[in-house]
Coordinates of all heavy atoms in Angstrom, one line a residue:
G1 N -5.0 16.5 -27.9 CA -4.0 17.5 -27.8 C -3.5 17.9 -29.2 O -3.3 19.0 -29.5
C2 N -3.0 16.8 -29.9 CA -2.4 17.1 -31.2 C -3.4 17.7 -32.1 O -3.1 18.6 -32.9 CB -1.9 15.8 -31.8 SG -0.4 15.2 -30.9
C3 N -4.6 17.2 -32.1 CA -5.7 17.8 -33.0 C -5.9 19.2 -32.7 O -6.1 20.1 -33.5 CB -7.0 17.0 -32.9 SG -6.8 15.3 -33.7
L4 N -6.0 19.5 -31.4 CA -6.3 20.9 -30.9 C -5.1 21.8 -31.3 O -5.3 22.9 -31.8 CB -6.4 20.9 -29.4 CG -6.7 22.3 -28.7 CD1 -8.0 22.9 -29.3 CD2 -6.8 22.1 -27.2
L5 N -3.9 21.3 -31.2 CA -2.7 22.1 -31.7 C -2.8 22.4 -33.1 O -2.6 23.5 -33.5 CB -1.4 21.2 -31.4 CG -0.1 21.8 -31.9 CD1 0.3 23.1 -31.2 CD2 1.0 20.8 -31.8
L6 N -3.1 21.4 -34.0 CA -3.2 21.7 -35.4 C -4.4 22.6 -35.8 O -4.3 23.4 -36.6 CB -3.3 20.4 -36.2 CG -2.1 19.5 -36.1 CD1 -2.3 18.2 -36.8 CD2 -0.8 20.2 -36.7
M7 N -5.5 22.5 -35.0 CA -6.7 23.3 -35.2 C -6.2 24.8 -34.9 O -6.6 25.7 -35.6 CB -7.8 22.9 -34.3 CG -9.1 23.7 -34.4 SD -10.3 23.3 -33.3 CE -9.7 24.2 -31.8
L8 N -5.5 25.0 -33.8 CA -5.2 26.3 -33.4 C -4.1 26.9 -34.2 O -4.2 28.2 -34.5 CB -4.7 26.3 -31.9 CG -5.7 25.9 -30.9 CD1 -5.0 25.6 -29.5 CD2 -6.8 26.9 -30.7
L9 N -3.1 26.2 -34.6 CA -2.0 26.8 -35.3 C -1.8 26.4 -36.8 O -1.0 27.0 -37.5 CB -0.7 26.4 -34.5 CG -0.6 26.9 -33.1 CD1 0.6 26.3 -32.3 CD2 -0.8 28.3 -33.0
G10 N -2.5 25.5 -37.2 CA -2.4 25.0 -38.6 C -0.9 24.7 -38.9 O -0.3 24.0 -38.2
E11 N -0.4 25.1 -40.1 CA 0.9 24.7 -40.5 C 1.9 25.4 -39.6 O 3.1 24.8 -39.6 CB 1.1 25.3 -41.9 CG 0.4 24.5 -43.0 CD 0.7 24.9 -44.4 OE1 1.9 25.1 -44.7 OE2 -0.3 25.0 -45.2
R12 N 1.6 26.4 -38.8 CA 2.6 27.0 -37.9 C 2.8 26.0 -36.7 O 3.8 26.1 -36.1 CB 2.1 28.3 -37.3 CG 2.0 29.4 -38.4 CD 1.4 30.6 -37.8 NE 0.0 30.3 -37.3 CZ -0.9 31.1 -36.9 NH1 -0.5 32.3 -36.8 NH2 -2.1 30.7 -36.6
G13 N 1.9 25.0 -36.5 CA 2.0 24.1 -35.4 C 2.4 22.6 -35.8 O 2.4 21.8 -35.0
G14 N 2.6 22.5 -37.1 CA 2.8 21.1 -37.7 C 3.7 21.2 -38.9 O 4.3 22.2 -39.2
R15 N 3.6 20.1 -39.6 CA 4.4 20.1 -40.9 C 3.5 19.4 -41.9 O 2.8 18.4 -41.6 CB 5.7 19.4 -40.7 CG 5.5 17.9 -40.2 CD 6.9 17.4 -39.9 NE 6.9 15.9 -39.7 CZ 6.5 15.4 -38.6 NH1 6.0 16.1 -37.6 NH2 6.4 14.0 -38.5
K16 N 3.5 19.9 -43.1 CA 2.7 19.4 -44.2 C 3.6 18.4 -45.0 O 4.7 18.7 -45.3 CB 2.3 20.5 -45.1 CG 1.2 20.0 -46.1 CD 0.5 21.1 -46.9 CE 1.1 22.4 -47.1 NZ 0.4 23.3 -48.0
V17 N 3.0 17.2 -45.2 CA 3.7 16.2 -46.0 C 2.8 15.8 -47.1 O 1.6 15.9 -47.0 CB 4.1 15.0 -45.1 CG1 5.1 15.4 -44.0 CG2 2.9 14.3 -44.5
C18 N 3.3 15.2 -48.1 CA 2.5 14.8 -49.2 C 2.8 13.3 -49.5 O 4.0 12.9 -49.8 CB 2.9 15.6 -50.5 SG 1.8 15.2 -51.9
V19 N 1.8 12.5 -49.2 CA 1.8 11.1 -49.6 C 0.5 10.8 -50.3 O -0.5 10.5 -49.7 CB 2.0 10.3 -48.3 CG1 2.1 8.7 -48.6 CG2 3.2 10.7 -47.4
A20 N 0.5 10.9 -51.6 CA -0.7 10.9 -52.4 C -1.6 12.0 -52.2 O -2.4 12.4 -53.1 CB -1.5 9.5 -52.1
R21 N -1.6 12.7 -51.1 CA -2.2 14.0 -50.9 C -1.6 14.7 -49.7 O -0.8 14.1 -49.0 CB -3.7 13.7 -50.5 CG -3.9 12.9 -49.2 CD -5.4 12.6 -49.1 NE -5.6 11.8 -47.9 CZ -6.5 12.0 -47.0 NH1 -7.2 13.0 -47.1 NH2 -6.5 11.2 -46.0
H22 N -1.9 16.0 -49.6 CA -1.2 16.8 -48.6 C -1.9 16.5 -47.2 O -3.1 16.5 -47.1 CB -1.3 18.3 -48.8 CG -0.6 18.7 -50.0 ND1 0.8 18.9 -49.9 CD2 -0.9 19.0 -51.3 CE1 1.3 19.3 -51.1 NE2 0.2 19.2 -52.0
V23 N -1.1 16.3 -46.2 CA -1.6 16.0 -44.8 C -0.8 16.8 -43.9 O 0.4 17.0 -44.0 CB -1.4 14.5 -44.5 CG1 -1.8 14.1 -43.1 CG2 -2.0 13.6 -45.5
L24 N -1.5 17.4 -42.9 CA -0.8 18.1 -41.9 C -0.5 17.3 -40.7 O -1.6 16.7 -40.1 CB -1.7 19.3 -41.5 CG -1.1 20.4 -40.5 CD1 0.3 21.0 -41.1 CD2 -2.1 21.4 -40.3
L25 N 0.7 17.1 -40.2 CA 1.1 16.3 -39.1 C 1.5 17.2 -37.9 O 2.2 18.3 -38.2 CB 2.2 15.3 -39.5 CG 1.8 14.3 -40.6 CD1 3.1 13.5 -40.9 CD2 0.7 13.4 -40.1
P26 N 1.3 16.7 -36.6 CA 1.8 17.4 -35.5 C 3.3 17.3 -35.5 O 3.9 16.4 -36.0 CB 1.1 16.8 -34.4 CG 0.8 15.4 -34.9 CD 0.5 15.5 -36.3
P27 N 3.9 18.2 -34.7 CA 5.4 18.0 -34.5 C 5.7 16.7 -33.7 O 4.7 16.1 -33.1 CB 5.8 19.2 -33.7 CG 4.5 19.8 -33.1 CD 3.4 19.3 -34.0
A28 N 6.9 16.3 -33.7 CA 7.3 15.1 -32.9 C 7.0 15.4 -31.5 O 6.9 16.5 -31.0 CB 8.8 14.9 -33.1
A29 N 6.7 14.3 -30.8 CA 6.3 14.4 -29.3 C 7.3 15.2 -28.5 O 6.8 16.0 -27.7 CB 6.1 13.0 -28.8
D30 N 8.6 15.1 -28.7 CA 9.5 15.9 -27.9 C 9.6 17.4 -28.4 O 10.3 18.2 -27.8 CB 10.9 15.3 -28.0 CG 11.5 15.2 -29.5 OD1 10.8 15.3 -30.4 OD2 12.8 15.0 -29.5
Q31 N 8.9 17.8 -29.5 CA 8.9 19.1 -29.9 C 7.6 19.9 -29.6 O 7.5 21.2 -29.8 CB 9.1 19.2 -31.5 CG 10.5 18.7 -31.9 CD 11.6 19.6 -31.3 OE1 11.5 20.8 -31.5 NE2 12.5 19.0 -30.5
I32 N 6.5 19.2 -29.2 CA 5.2 19.8 -29.0 C 5.3 20.9 -28.0 O 4.8 22.1 -28.2 CB 4.1 18.8 -28.6 CG1 3.9 17.9 -29.8 CG2 2.9 19.5 -28.2 CD1 2.9 16.7 -29.5
R33 N 5.9 20.7 -26.9 CA 6.0 21.8 -25.8 C 6.7 23.0 -26.4 O 6.2 24.1 -26.1 CB 6.8 21.2 -24.6 CG 6.8 22.2 -23.4 CD 7.3 21.5 -22.1 NE 7.7 22.5 -21.1 CZ 6.9 23.2 -20.4 NH1 5.6 23.1 -20.6 NH2 7.3 24.0 -19.5
K34 N 7.8 22.8 -27.1 CA 8.5 23.9 -27.7 C 7.6 24.8 -28.6 O 7.6 26.0 -28.5 CB 9.7 23.5 -28.4 CG 10.5 24.5 -29.0 CD 11.8 23.8 -29.7 CE 12.4 24.8 -30.7 NZ 13.6 24.1 -31.4
V35 N 6.9 24.1 -29.4 CA 6.0 24.7 -30.4 C 4.9 25.5 -29.7 O 4.6 26.7 -30.0 CB 5.3 23.7 -31.4 CG1 4.2 24.3 -32.1 CG2 6.5 23.1 -32.3
V36 N 4.3 24.9 -28.6 CA 3.2 25.5 -27.9 C 3.8 26.8 -27.1 O 3.1 27.8 -27.1 CB 2.6 24.6 -26.8 CG1 1.6 25.3 -25.9 CG2 1.8 23.4 -27.6
L37 N 4.9 26.7 -26.5 CA 5.5 27.8 -25.8 C 5.8 29.0 -26.8 O 5.6 30.1 -26.5 CB 6.8 27.4 -25.0 CG 6.6 26.5 -23.8 CD1 7.8 26.0 -23.2 CD2 5.7 27.2 -22.8
A38 N 6.3 28.6 -28.0 CA 6.6 29.6 -28.9 C 5.4 30.3 -29.4 O 5.3 31.6 -29.6 CB 7.4 29.1 -30.2
A39 N 4.3 29.6 -29.6 CA 3.0 30.1 -30.0 C 2.4 31.0 -28.9 O 1.9 32.1 -29.2 CB 1.9 29.0 -30.3
L40 N 2.6 30.6 -27.6 CA 2.2 31.5 -26.5 C 3.0 32.8 -26.5 O 2.4 33.9 -26.3 CB 2.3 30.7 -25.1 CG 1.3 29.9 -24.7 CD1 1.8 28.9 -23.5 CD2 0.0 30.6 -24.2
D41 N 4.3 32.7 -26.6 CA 5.1 33.9 -26.6 C 4.8 34.8 -27.7 O 4.8 36.0 -27.6 CB 6.6 33.5 -26.7 CG 7.1 32.9 -25.4 OD1 6.5 33.0 -24.4 OD2 8.2 32.2 -25.4
A42 N 4.4 34.3 -28.8 CA 4.1 35.1 -30.0 C 2.6 35.5 -30.1 O 2.3 36.3 -31.0 CB 4.5 34.3 -31.4
G43 N 1.8 35.0 -29.2 CA 0.4 35.4 -29.2 C -0.3 34.9 -30.4 O -1.2 35.6 -30.9
L44 N 0.0 33.7 -30.8 CA -0.6 33.1 -32.1 C -2.0 32.6 -31.9 O -2.7 32.4 -32.9 CB 0.2 32.1 -32.6 CG 1.7 32.5 -33.1 CD1 2.4 31.4 -33.6 CD2 1.5 33.6 -34.2
S45 N -2.5 32.3 -30.6 CA -3.7 31.8 -30.4 C -4.1 32.0 -29.0 O -3.4 32.7 -28.2 CB -3.7 30.3 -30.8 OG -5.1 29.8 -30.8
D46 N -5.4 31.5 -28.7 CA -5.9 31.8 -27.3 C -5.0 31.1 -26.3 O -4.7 29.9 -26.4 CB -7.3 31.1 -27.3 CG -8.0 31.3 -25.9 OD1 -7.7 30.5 -25.0 OD2 -8.8 32.2 -25.8
P47 N -4.6 31.8 -25.3 CA -3.7 31.2 -24.3 C -4.3 30.1 -23.5 O -3.6 29.1 -23.2 CB -3.4 32.5 -23.3 CG -3.7 33.7 -24.1 CD -4.8 33.3 -25.1
D48 N -5.6 30.1 -23.2 CA -6.2 29.0 -22.5 C -6.1 27.7 -23.4 O -5.9 26.6 -22.9 CB -7.7 29.3 -22.1 CG -7.8 30.2 -20.9 OD1 -6.9 30.2 -20.1 OD2 -8.8 30.9 -20.9
A49 N -6.4 27.9 -24.7 CA -6.4 26.7 -25.5 C -5.0 26.2 -25.7 O -4.8 25.0 -25.7 CB -6.9 27.2 -26.9
L50 N -4.0 27.0 -25.8 CA -2.6 26.6 -25.9 C -2.1 25.9 -24.6 O -1.5 24.9 -24.8 CB -1.6 27.8 -26.3 CG -1.8 28.2 -27.7 CD1 -1.1 29.6 -27.9 CD2 -1.4 27.1 -28.7
R51 N -2.6 26.4 -23.5 CA -2.2 25.7 -22.2 C -2.9 24.4 -22.1 O -2.3 23.4 -21.6 CB -2.6 26.6 -21.0 CG -1.6 27.8 -20.8 CD -1.8 28.5 -19.4 NE -3.0 29.4 -19.5 CZ -3.0 30.6 -20.0 NH1 -1.8 31.1 -20.4 NH2 -4.1 31.4 -20.0
L52 N -4.1 24.3 -22.6 CA -4.8 23.0 -22.6 C -4.0 22.0 -23.5 O -3.9 20.9 -23.2 CB -6.2 23.1 -23.0 CG -7.0 21.8 -23.1 CD1 -7.1 21.2 -21.7 CD2 -8.5 22.1 -23.6
T53 N -3.7 22.5 -24.7 CA -2.9 21.6 -25.7 C -1.6 21.1 -25.0 O -1.3 19.9 -25.1 CB -2.5 22.6 -26.9 OG1 -3.7 23.0 -27.5 CG2 -1.7 21.7 -27.9
S54 N -0.9 22.0 -24.3 CA 0.3 21.5 -23.6 C 0.0 20.5 -22.6 O 0.7 19.5 -22.4 CB 1.0 22.8 -23.0 OG 2.3 22.4 -22.4
A55 N -1.1 20.8 -21.8 CA -1.4 19.8 -20.7 C -1.9 18.5 -21.3 O -1.5 17.4 -20.7 CB -2.5 20.4 -19.9
L56 N -2.6 18.4 -22.4 CA -3.1 17.2 -23.0 C -2.0 16.4 -23.7 O -2.1 15.2 -23.9 CB -4.1 17.5 -24.1 CG -5.5 18.0 -23.5 CD1 -6.3 18.5 -24.7 CD2 -6.2 16.8 -22.8
T57 N -0.9 17.1 -24.0 CA 0.2 16.4 -24.7 C 1.5 16.3 -23.8 O 2.5 16.0 -24.3 CB 0.6 17.1 -26.1 OG1 1.0 18.5 -25.7 CG2 -0.6 17.1 -27.0
A58 N 1.3 16.5 -22.5 CA 2.5 16.4 -21.6 C 3.2 15.1 -21.7 O 2.5 14.0 -21.9 CB 2.0 16.5 -20.1
A59 N 4.5 15.0 -21.7 CA 5.2 13.8 -21.9 C 4.9 12.8 -20.8 O 4.9 11.6 -21.0 CB 6.7 14.1 -22.0
D60 N 4.8 13.3 -19.6 CA 4.6 12.5 -18.4 C 3.1 12.1 -18.3 O 2.3 13.0 -18.0 CB 5.1 13.1 -17.1 CG 4.8 12.4 -15.8 OD1 4.6 11.1 -16.0 OD2 4.8 13.0 -14.8
E61 N 2.7 10.9 -18.5 CA 1.4 10.5 -18.4 C 0.7 10.8 -17.1 O -0.5 11.1 -17.1 CB 1.2 9.0 -18.7 CG 1.5 8.7 -20.1 CD 1.3 7.1 -20.3 OE1 0.6 6.5 -19.6 OE2 2.0 6.6 -21.2
G62 N 1.5 10.9 -16.0 CA 0.9 11.2 -14.7 C 0.5 12.6 -14.5 O -0.4 12.9 -13.7
T63 N 1.0 13.5 -15.4 CA 0.7 14.9 -15.2 C -0.2 15.3 -16.4 O -0.6 16.5 -16.5 CB 1.9 15.8 -15.2 OG1 2.7 15.7 -16.4 CG2 2.8 15.4 -13.9
R64 N -0.5 14.4 -17.4 CA -1.2 14.8 -18.6 C -2.7 15.1 -18.2 O -3.3 14.4 -17.3 CB -1.2 13.6 -19.5 CG -1.6 14.0 -20.9 CD -1.4 12.9 -21.9 NE 0.0 12.5 -22.0 CZ 0.5 11.4 -22.3 NH1 -0.3 10.4 -22.6 NH2 1.8 11.2 -22.4
A65 N -3.2 16.1 -18.8 CA -4.6 16.6 -18.5 C -5.6 15.5 -18.9 O -5.4 14.6 -19.8 CB -4.9 17.8 -19.3
G66 N -6.7 15.5 -18.2 CA -7.8 14.5 -18.4 C -9.1 15.3 -18.6 O -9.1 16.5 -18.9
A67 N -10.2 14.6 -18.5 CA -11.5 15.2 -18.7 C -11.9 16.4 -17.8 O -12.4 17.4 -18.3 CB -12.6 14.1 -18.5
A68 N -11.4 16.4 -16.5 CA -11.7 17.5 -15.7 C -11.0 18.7 -16.1 O -11.6 19.8 -16.1 CB -11.2 17.2 -14.2
E69 N -9.8 18.6 -16.6 CA -9.0 19.8 -17.1 C -9.7 20.4 -18.4 O -9.8 21.6 -18.6 CB -7.6 19.5 -17.4 CG -6.8 19.2 -16.1 CD -6.8 17.8 -15.6 OE1 -7.5 17.0 -16.2 OE2 -6.2 17.5 -14.6
V70 N -10.2 19.4 -19.3 CA -10.8 19.8 -20.5 C -12.1 20.6 -20.1 O -12.4 21.7 -20.6 CB -11.1 18.7 -21.4 CG1 -12.0 19.0 -22.5 CG2 -9.9 18.0 -21.9
R71 N -12.9 20.1 -19.1 CA -14.2 20.7 -18.8 C -13.9 22.0 -18.2 O -14.8 23.0 -18.3 CB -14.9 19.8 -17.9 CG -15.6 18.6 -18.5 CD -16.5 17.9 -17.5 NE -17.5 18.8 -16.9 CZ -18.7 19.1 -17.4 NH1 -19.0 18.6 -18.6 NH2 -19.5 19.9 -16.8
N72 N -12.9 22.2 -17.4 CA -12.7 23.5 -16.7 C -11.8 24.5 -17.5 O -11.5 25.6 -16.9 CB -12.1 23.2 -15.3 CG -13.0 22.4 -14.5 OD1 -14.1 22.8 -14.4 ND2 -12.5 21.3 -13.8
N73 N -11.3 24.2 -18.6 CA -10.5 25.1 -19.4 C -11.4 26.3 -20.0 O -12.5 26.0 -20.5 CB -9.8 24.4 -20.6 CG -9.0 25.2 -21.3 OD1 -9.3 25.8 -22.3 ND2 -7.7 25.3 -20.9
G74 N -10.9 27.5 -19.8 CA -11.6 28.7 -20.3 C -12.0 28.7 -21.7 O -13.0 29.1 -22.1
Y75 N -11.1 28.1 -22.6 CA -11.4 28.1 -24.0 C -12.5 27.3 -24.4 O -13.3 27.6 -25.3 CB -10.1 27.6 -24.7 CG -10.2 27.4 -26.2 CD1 -10.2 28.6 -27.0 CD2 -10.3 26.2 -26.8 CE1 -10.4 28.5 -28.4 CE2 -10.4 26.1 -28.2 CZ -10.4 27.3 -29.0 OH -10.5 27.2 -30.3
L76 N -12.8 26.2 -23.6 CA -13.9 25.3 -24.0 C -15.1 25.6 -23.1 O -16.2 24.9 -23.2 CB -13.5 23.8 -23.8 CG -12.4 23.4 -24.7 CD1 -11.9 22.1 -24.4 CD2 -12.8 23.4 -26.2
Q77 N -15.1 26.6 -22.2 CA -16.1 26.7 -21.2 C -17.5 26.9 -21.9 O -18.5 26.4 -21.4 CB -15.8 27.9 -20.3 CG -16.7 27.9 -19.0 CD -16.5 26.6 -18.3 OE1 -15.4 26.2 -17.8 NE2 -17.5 25.8 -18.0
E78 N -17.6 27.7 -22.9 CA -19.0 28.0 -23.5 C -19.5 26.7 -24.1 O -20.7 26.4 -23.9 CB -18.8 29.0 -24.6 CG -20.1 29.4 -25.3 CD -20.0 30.5 -26.3 OE1 -18.9 31.2 -26.4 OE2 -20.9 30.5 -27.3
A79 N -18.7 25.9 -24.7 CA -19.1 24.6 -25.4 C -19.6 23.6 -24.2 O -20.5 22.9 -24.3 CB -18.1 24.0 -26.2
V80 N -18.8 23.6 -23.1 CA -19.1 22.7 -22.0 C -20.5 23.1 -21.4 O -21.3 22.3 -21.0 CB -18.0 22.7 -21.0 CG1 -18.4 22.0 -19.7 CG2 -16.7 22.0 -21.5
D81 N -20.6 24.4 -21.2 CA -21.9 24.9 -20.6 C -23.1 24.6 -21.5 O -24.1 24.2 -21.0 CB -21.9 26.5 -20.4 CG -20.9 26.9 -19.3 OD1 -20.5 26.0 -18.6 OD2 -20.5 28.1 -19.3
R82 N -22.9 24.7 -22.8 CA -24.0 24.3 -23.7 C -24.2 22.8 -23.7 O -25.4 22.4 -23.7 CB -23.6 24.7 -25.2 CG -24.0 26.1 -25.5 CD -24.0 26.5 -26.9 NE -22.6 27.0 -27.2 CZ -21.9 26.7 -28.2 NH1 -22.3 26.0 -29.2 NH2 -20.6 27.3 -28.4
A83 N -23.2 22.0 -23.6 CA -23.4 20.6 -23.4 C -24.1 20.2 -22.2 O -25.1 19.4 -22.1 CB -22.1 19.9 -23.5
D84 N -23.8 20.9 -21.0 CA -24.5 20.8 -19.8 C -26.0 21.1 -19.9 O -26.8 20.4 -19.4 CB -23.8 21.6 -18.7 CG -22.6 21.1 -18.2 OD1 -22.3 19.9 -18.4 OD2 -21.8 21.8 -17.5
E85 N -26.3 22.2 -20.6 CA -27.7 22.6 -20.9 C -28.4 21.5 -21.6 O -29.6 21.1 -21.3 CB -27.7 23.9 -21.7 CG -27.4 25.1 -20.9 CD -27.4 26.4 -21.7 OE1 -28.0 26.4 -22.7 OE2 -26.6 27.2 -21.3
R86 N -27.8 20.9 -22.7 CA -28.4 19.8 -23.4 C -28.6 18.6 -22.6 O -29.6 17.9 -22.8 CB -27.6 19.6 -24.7 CG -27.7 20.6 -25.7 CD -26.9 20.2 -27.0 NE -27.1 21.2 -28.0 CZ -27.8 21.0 -29.0 NH1 -28.4 19.8 -29.3 NH2 -28.0 21.9 -30.0
L87 N -27.8 18.4 -21.7 CA -27.9 17.2 -20.8 C -29.2 17.2 -20.1 O -29.8 16.2 -19.9 CB -26.7 17.1 -19.8 CG -26.8 16.1 -18.7 CD1 -26.7 14.7 -19.4 CD2 -25.6 16.2 -17.8
Q88 N -29.7 18.4 -19.8 CA -30.9 18.6 -19.0 C -32.1 18.1 -19.9 O -33.2 17.9 -19.4 CB -31.1 20.0 -18.6 CG -30.0 20.6 -17.8 CD -29.7 19.7 -16.5 OE1 -30.7 19.4 -15.9 NE2 -28.4 19.5 -16.3
H89 N -31.9 18.1 -21.2 CA -33.0 17.8 -22.1 C -32.9 16.4 -22.8 O -33.6 16.0 -23.7 CB -33.1 18.8 -23.2 CG -33.2 20.2 -22.7 ND1 -34.4 20.6 -22.1 CD2 -32.4 21.3 -22.6 CE1 -34.2 21.9 -21.7 NE2 -33.0 22.3 -22.0
V90 N -32.0 15.6 -22.3 CA -31.8 14.2 -22.9 C -32.9 13.4 -22.4 O -33.3 13.3 -21.2 CB -30.4 13.6 -22.4 CG1 -30.4 12.2 -22.9 CG2 -29.3 14.5 -23.0
S91 N -33.5 12.6 -23.4 CA -34.6 11.8 -23.1 C -34.2 10.6 -22.2 O -33.2 10.0 -22.4 CB -35.2 11.2 -24.3 OG -36.1 10.2 -24.1
P92 N -35.0 10.2 -21.2 CA -34.7 9.1 -20.3 C -34.8 7.8 -21.2 O -34.4 6.8 -20.7 CB -35.7 9.2 -19.2 CG -36.7 10.2 -19.6 CD -36.2 11.0 -20.7
K93 N -35.3 7.9 -22.4 CA -35.4 6.7 -23.2 C -34.1 6.3 -23.9 O -34.0 5.3 -24.6 CB -36.6 6.9 -24.3 CG -37.9 7.1 -23.7 CD -38.9 7.3 -24.8 CE -40.3 7.5 -24.2 NZ -41.3 7.8 -25.2
T94 N -33.1 7.1 -23.7 CA -31.8 6.8 -24.2 C -30.8 6.7 -23.1 O -29.9 7.5 -23.0 CB -31.4 7.9 -25.2 OG1 -31.3 9.2 -24.5 CG2 -32.2 8.0 -26.5
P95 N -30.9 5.6 -22.4 CA -30.1 5.5 -21.2 C -28.6 5.5 -21.4 O -27.8 6.0 -20.6 CB -30.6 4.1 -20.5 CG -31.3 3.4 -21.6 CD -31.8 4.5 -22.5
T96 N -28.2 4.8 -22.5 CA -26.7 4.8 -22.8 C -26.2 6.2 -23.0 O -25.1 6.5 -22.5 CB -26.5 3.9 -24.1 OG1 -27.1 2.6 -23.8 CG2 -25.0 3.8 -24.3
S97 N -26.8 7.0 -23.9 CA -26.4 8.3 -24.1 C -26.4 9.1 -22.8 O -25.4 9.9 -22.5 CB -27.2 9.0 -25.1 OG -27.2 8.3 -26.3
R98 N -27.4 9.0 -22.1 CA -27.7 9.8 -20.8 C -26.5 9.4 -19.9 O -25.9 10.2 -19.2 CB -28.9 9.5 -20.2 CG -29.3 10.5 -19.0 CD -30.7 10.2 -18.6 NE -31.1 11.3 -17.7 CZ -31.6 12.4 -18.0 NH1 -31.7 12.7 -19.2 NH2 -31.9 13.3 -17.1
A99 N -26.2 8.1 -19.7 CA -25.2 7.6 -18.8 C -23.8 8.2 -19.2 O -23.0 8.6 -18.4 CB -25.1 6.2 -18.8
R100 N -23.5 8.2 -20.5 CA -22.2 8.9 -21.0 C -22.2 10.3 -20.7 O -21.1 10.7 -20.2 CB -22.1 8.6 -22.5 CG -21.6 7.2 -22.8 CD -21.2 7.2 -24.3 NE -21.8 6.0 -24.8 CZ -22.3 5.9 -26.0 NH1 -22.2 6.8 -26.9 NH2 -22.8 4.7 -26.4
L101 N -23.2 11.0 -20.9 CA -23.2 12.4 -20.6 C -23.0 12.7 -19.2 O -22.3 13.6 -18.7 CB -24.5 13.1 -21.1 CG -24.6 13.3 -22.6 CD1 -26.0 13.7 -23.1 CD2 -23.6 14.3 -23.1
R102 N -23.7 11.9 -18.3 CA -23.6 12.1 -16.9 C -22.2 11.8 -16.4 O -21.6 12.4 -15.5 CB -24.6 11.2 -16.1 CG -26.0 11.8 -16.1 CD -26.9 11.3 -15.0 NE -28.1 12.1 -15.0 CZ -29.2 11.6 -14.8 NH1 -29.3 10.3 -14.5 NH2 -30.3 12.3 -14.8
S103 N -21.6 10.7 -16.9 CA -20.2 10.4 -16.5 C -19.3 11.5 -16.9 O -18.4 11.9 -16.1 CB -19.8 9.1 -17.3 OG -18.4 8.9 -17.1
F104 N -19.5 12.1 -18.1 CA -18.6 13.3 -18.4 C -18.8 14.5 -17.6 O -18.0 15.1 -17.1 CB -19.0 13.6 -19.9 CG -18.0 14.7 -20.5 CD1 -16.6 14.4 -20.7 CD2 -18.5 16.0 -20.7 CE1 -15.9 15.4 -21.2 CE2 -17.6 17.0 -21.2 CZ -16.3 16.6 -21.4
A105 N -20.1 14.7 -17.2 CA -20.5 15.8 -16.3 C -19.9 15.7 -14.9 O -19.5 16.6 -14.3 CB -22.0 15.9 -16.2
R106 N -19.8 14.4 -14.4 CA -19.2 14.1 -13.1 C -17.8 14.4 -13.0 O -17.3 14.8 -12.0 CB -19.6 12.8 -12.6 CG -21.0 12.5 -12.1 CD -21.0 11.2 -11.3 NE -20.7 10.1 -12.3 CZ -21.7 9.4 -12.9 NH1 -22.9 9.7 -12.9 NH2 -21.3 8.4 -13.7
S107 N -17.1 14.3 -14.2 CA -15.6 14.5 -14.2 C -15.3 16.0 -14.0 O -14.1 16.3 -13.9 CB -15.0 14.0 -15.5 OG -15.5 14.8 -16.6
R108 N -16.3 16.9 -14.0 CA -16.0 18.3 -13.8 C -15.5 18.6 -12.4 O -15.5 18.7 -11.5 CB -17.3 19.1 -14.2 CG -17.1 20.5 -14.1 CD -18.2 21.3 -14.6 NE -17.8 22.7 -14.5 CZ -18.5 23.7 -15.2 NH1 -19.5 23.4 -15.9 NH2 -18.2 24.8 -15.0

């Protein structure tokens, strides 16, 4: 969620600090919702992506988004569909990779 926030909003969604080099940090946990809502109101990024960011960073772990919400989010739908297509072409000789992909696919 924090990485998605920074990817979507850059410095508008975090703060830049310098400790030997410049690093972009997300806002404090209690400020993330406020930053996401402000970005939604201002139309700064894709609304589906911002809603997913908010869901992934929810303060209450019981309501925090998981794999199913990620897979079903409109912002990521094209990437999920491409991953599903690739799953059809995974070699049976790589059982570990195939099992991980199937596990992710089932969470949809």
